[in-house]
Amino acid sequence: MKLRSFLLSVAVLTALALPAAAFAHPFEGSVGPATTISLKRANGTNLTHTTPGAHRFSISDLAGSHNFHLLGPGVNKKTGIAFTGSRSWKVTLSPGTYNFRCDAHPMVMRGSFSVS
C-alpha cells in the first residue's frame, strides 16, 4: 500500500512539473538587426518540432524595420515593425504547423516548426 501511494505521489508531482518545465526554458525568437529571423530552443538549436501545450516564447526584436510574427492554429502573436525591444508570450500550442516571419519581408525572413 505504501508503494502504491508513493508511486501515485510521484506521478502527480511529475504531471505538475511538466508544464513548469516548458516555462523554465522558453523558446528564443530573434529578428534583426540585419535580415535574419530565428526561433531556437534554450540550448541554441533551431526549433523544428515540439509538443502540444503551454510554452513561453522570449522574443528579441533588434530592428525598427522588421517584426517577429508567430502564426499557427489559434495563435497570432507579433511585435510591431517599428518596435525594438523584448516581449514574452505564453502560447498554448496545438498539433499542426506554426510559422514565424517578418511581415515586412515575408518571402525572405521566415521559418516554421511542427507540433505533435
Side-chain angles (χ1 to χ4, degrees):
M1 187 68 174
K2 286 184 181 183
L3 178 60
R4 177 183 254 171
S5 294
F6 173 75
L7 292 176
L8 181 59
S9 296
V10 169
V12 168
L13 290 174
T14 300
L16 292 173
L18 289 177
F23 292 112
H25 301 288
F27 300 130
E28 299 171 359
S30 179
V31 60
T35 54
T36 59
I37 192 166
S38 65
L39 186 57
K40 298 183 180 285
R41 294 181 177 279
N43 68 6
T45 61
N46 288 329
L47 178 64
T48 58
H49 178 265
T50 192
T51 56
H55 296 274
R56 191 172 46 149
F57 289 75
S58 291
I59 308 300
S60 296
D61 189 331
L62 306 172
S65 58
H66 303 300
N67 73 327
F68 192 100
H69 192 168
L70 177 63
L71 298 148
V75 175
N76 186 6
K77 295 279 204 179
K78 62 183 172 179
T79 63
I81 290 177
F83 172 81
T84 58
S86 299
R87 291 284 186 254
S88 182
W89 302 324
K90 177 184 174 186
V91 178
T92 301
L93 302 176
S94 301
T97 299
Y98 289 78
N99 298 291
F100 56 95
R101 69 177 186 220
C102 167
D103 291 326
H105 308 97
M107 299 308 292
V108 178
M109 299 173 66
R110 63 184 176 178
S112 65
F113 63 96
S114 64
V115 176
S116 61

